[in-house]
Amino acid sequence: MSGRAGELSPGGFAERLLAGDRLALARGITQVERRLPEGRALIQELIGSTGSSQTLGITGPPGAGKSTLVTALTTHLRAEERQVAVLSIDPSSQFTGGALLGDRVRMTTHYLDEGVFIRSMASRGISGGLAPAALDAVLLMDAAGFDPVFIETVGVGQSEIEIASHADTIILVLVPGAGDSIQMIKAGIMEIPDIIVVNKADHPLALEFVSTLRRSLPILKRIEKPRIVQTEATTGRGIPELATAIADHRLHLEETGLLQTRRERSLRRRVLALAADLITAELAEQADNDPEIQAVIGEVIARRVEPMQAAERIVDRAPLRSAT
Amino acid sequence: MSGRAGELSPGGFAERLLAGDRLALARGITQVERRLPEGRALIQELIGSTGSSQTLGITGPPGAGKSTLVTALTTHLRAEERQVAVLSIDPSSQFTGGALLGDRVRMTTHYLDEGVFIRSMASRGISGGLAPAALDAVLLMDAAGFDPVFIETVGVGQSEIEIASHADTIILVLVPGAGDSIQMIKAGIMEIPDIIVVNKADHPLALEFVSTLRRSLPILKRIEKPRIVQTEATTGRGIPELATAIADHRLHLEETGLLQTRRERSLRRRVLALAADLITAELAEQADNDPEIQAVIGEVIARRVEPMQAAERIVDRAPLRSAT
């Protein structure tokens, strides 16, 4: 059957995506973003072709220079003829969608380069949470042959870290002298990354900041301490060293078997989170139609029953499905 | 029965808390933070005595001056003999607990003032997520007679906004010229607050920033636009105006019936979120012991089944409780 002009035939779609077709990839991502059945079918068809790309989670406070750093790294990787994909995600975005965010991360340097694929994603218009859509998009970028795949998150809240923590290699970008960078050290964000980039290394406080960081390494609970790399993303200084650190980490993951362990843990977490989301959605729907659940919530609103007790009553009395 | 020295008798505990006893309040919060049965019993005993305080959610990017602002507002409210409680929460904190965070928000000005109660809370050591513990702590502060109760969150990720959004009045603190403040406007954070504080109003870019904010108000989807107040928290400029805006908002909520609507919605969301958490925890436990669930996850790890399909299989085949 011939489709409408410009429409992709369902059969050839996955193949075109596998071959690195950018249009197919872009459409595929839109499908998973909208949680369309086509998106799921696509992921099912392509999942066997995923797993060869290194995924790089990039996180850090706003203004740390994450986008500039990703641009500089991309330039470096393009010189080695790597195909680079960037997924830029903003969990806090409520209404602008990718439109305005896109301006910020357009990475004009690489906009016309066929070897670079850039996509922004924001909470709005994404049903079922940002993480499932983002992680599916990463699978598609991986299947399309892009390697590495950057997952750049804006900000460092819990949900941002949650998404970045699914990457093979997690990179935290900090800047010297920024109050929130110091707070971040305090706040334990350093338990997460494999590599810490101190960007804007030309800053007068850079040396002091790096030594503060180094001093804080021994108090980390984790066994493998993060590597610290200094960069100046705007001039490209330190970018080759960062690229080496990233490649080294990939090797380390492979040699130790950690790559497989991490990915298994990530997939397991994803599946259970999705299952929990399904059950939660079912519960919310039930709550709208079930007078008993309404009554229990009413008791809380009347401030006669505390919320946790009400939750237990709901879970106890409402078998989510019958065992028959 | 007499308890050990310094121990609170269970019977008198709730009463002492109701009377505003700071030690009882501090212990009660520790109990709800640790999700101890005593904490739940306490909330159950006191929930009927809650609801008279105005809760104020304070959110905004790091460095916007939220702590200084809360300190200045507290000074202002203390002059009116209000009893003020501050819960400072940091969802991203992984290992420092409240210890280091506490330094930042100690609010030394009010540390010895009996009319001010300050507490820090961080993710670590809190089972079952930060939001339930934080919201229970707010209930206890409310029951102890503190009014208003500030809920100050560090950062503006999704989970931070989730917690602040349970407050009666939501205040977003921004600073002129900060890149992340502009990003925040773009990112739709402005759909959330009832009041936007432009702090550091003495900044050379303040006027321009405020007019950027005002220009963006018409594009907001919400019907009631946020009020914009300019402050200089370090000097106290604008603080009386902010206090008036907060009092006005409370009046507005009461007169329109929105207070009740918002609180009902908040409690309903809390109960359903807790129920979902219970079911999720049950699922994770089941997954550890159920060979069929393990097998389904194994199919995903082998990249033969996409994650969503696996999640559906788990939800479909695993009745969470039998109907018998």
Side-chain angles (χ1 to χ4, degrees), chain A residues 260-278:
Chain A
Q260 183 61 14
T261 316
R262 275 197 183 198
R263 287 181 170 182
E264 283 185 11
R265 208 167 44 199
S266 157
L267 287 169
R268 183 190 153 83
R269 260 169 53 217
R270 278 184 69 176
V271 171
L272 290 179
L274 286 167
D277 286 350
L278 286 174

Side-chain angles (χ1 to χ4, degrees), chain B residues 160-184:
Chain B
E160 290 85 340
I161 289 172
E162 163 59 20
I163 295 175
S165 71
H166 284 278
D168 297 329
T169 301
I170 303 166
I171 301 168
L172 173 66
V173 186
L174 299 175
V175 274
D180 33 336
S181 288
I182 299 289
Q183 282 177 29
M184 217 148 282

Side-chain angles (χ1 to χ4, degrees), chain B residues 270-297:
Chain B
R270 280 184 69 175
V271 171
L272 291 179
L274 286 168
D277 287 349
L278 287 173
I279 296 171
T280 303
E282 219 169 308
L283 178 68
E285 206 186 300
Q286 248 184 348
D288 283 338
N289 303 304
D290 184 326
E292 282 192 57
I293 295 182
Q294 306 274 17
V296 173
I297 294 174

Side-chain angles (χ1 to χ4, degrees), chain B:
Chain B
M1 275 185 290
S2 65
R4 280 171 294 157
E7 197 173 329
L8 297 167
S9 67
F13 188 26
E15 279 150 41
R16 283 176 56 187
L17 198 153
L18 271 181
D21 182 306
R22 300 162 62 88
L23 179 60
L25 177 56
R27 286 207 185 172
I29 293 176
T30 301
Q31 289 172 351
V32 299
E33 207 173 42
R34 297 192 185 150
R35 311 313 282 161
L36 300 175
E38 296 91 311
R40 290 187 50 190
L42 191 64
I43 297 282
Q44 178 59 48
E45 194 167 347
L46 294 175
I47 191 158
S49 308
T50 62
S52 49
S53 303
Q54 182 178 15
T55 53
L56 304 170
I58 311 262
T59 188
K66 295 184 291 296
S67 294
T68 319
L69 194 77
V70 170
T71 305
L73 262 173
T74 301
T75 305
H76 182 89
L77 294 161
R78 288 299 295 143
E80 296 173 357
E81 312 219 327
R82 304 275 291 274
Q83 309 279 308
V84 179
V86 180
L87 180 67
S88 181
I89 41 185
D90 183 359
S92 56
S93 190
Q94 301 280 330
F95 79 116
T96 59
L100 283 164
L101 181 70
D103 295 343
R104 205 182 54 77
V105 290
R106 184 130 302 162
M107 288 183 39
T108 36
T109 324
H110 300 291
Y111 198 54
L112 296 173
D113 180 350
E114 284 285 318
V116 180
F117 185 90
I118 303 162
R119 177 80 171 222
S120 296
M121 204 177 260
S123 289
R124 185 181 168 259
I126 299 198
S127 15
L130 194 48
L135 296 173
D136 276 354
V138 171
L139 283 180
L140 293 182
M141 289 167 160
D142 177 349
F146 291 94
D147 179 19
V149 173
F150 288 100
I151 312 169
E152 185 204 337
T153 66
V154 174
V156 283
Q158 229 167 219
S159 44
E160 290 85 340
I161 289 172
E162 163 59 20
I163 295 175
S165 71
H166 284 278
D168 297 329
T169 301
I170 303 166
I171 301 168
L172 173 66
V173 186
L174 299 175
V175 274
D180 33 336
S181 288
I182 299 289
Q183 282 177 29
M184 217 148 282
I185 300 176
K186 289 188 176 179
I189 303 284
M190 281 176 66
E191 294 292 342
I192 315 293
D194 303 297
I195 298 169
I196 296 179
V197 173
V198 177
N199 195 21
K200 308 186 185 173
D202 53 329
H203 191 283
L205 295 173
L207 276 178
E208 192 190 323
F209 184 69
V210 169
S211 69
T212 304
L213 273 180
R214 289 204 193 284
R215 272 199 309 277
S216 71
L217 292 183
I219 63 164
L220 297 184
K221 287 183 299 182
R222 50 196 289 187
I223 297 161
E224 303 202 25
K225 308 299 182 191
R227 182 151 154 194
I228 297 173
V229 180
Q230 297 187 59
T231 61
E232 234 184 275
T234 44
T235 64
R237 208 190 99 193
I239 297 299
E241 289 77 7
L242 177 55
T244 304
I246 290 169
D248 287 352
H249 188 250
R250 168 69 190 239
L251 266 179
H252 169 73
L253 287 175
E254 279 172 355
E255 286 169 0
T256 54
L258 268 173
L259 186 64
Q260 183 62 13
T261 317
R262 277 197 181 197
R263 288 180 170 182
E264 284 185 10
R265 208 168 44 200
S266 157
L267 287 168
R268 183 189 153 85
R269 261 169 53 217
R270 280 184 69 175
V271 171
L272 291 179
L274 286 168
D277 287 349
L278 287 173
I279 296 171
T280 303
E282 219 169 308
L283 178 68
E285 206 186 300
Q286 248 184 348
D288 283 338
N289 303 304
D290 184 326
E292 282 192 57
I293 295 182
Q294 306 274 17
V296 173
I297 294 174
E299 288 291 291
V300 178
I301 289 170
R303 299 190 190 245
R304 282 191 292 267
V305 170
E306 58 97 16
M308 191 62 173
Q309 192 181 318
E312 284 178 352
R313 283 196 206 166
I314 289 172
V315 175
D316 283 342
R317 73 147 286 294
L320 280 169
R321 62 200 67 257
S322 70
T324 53

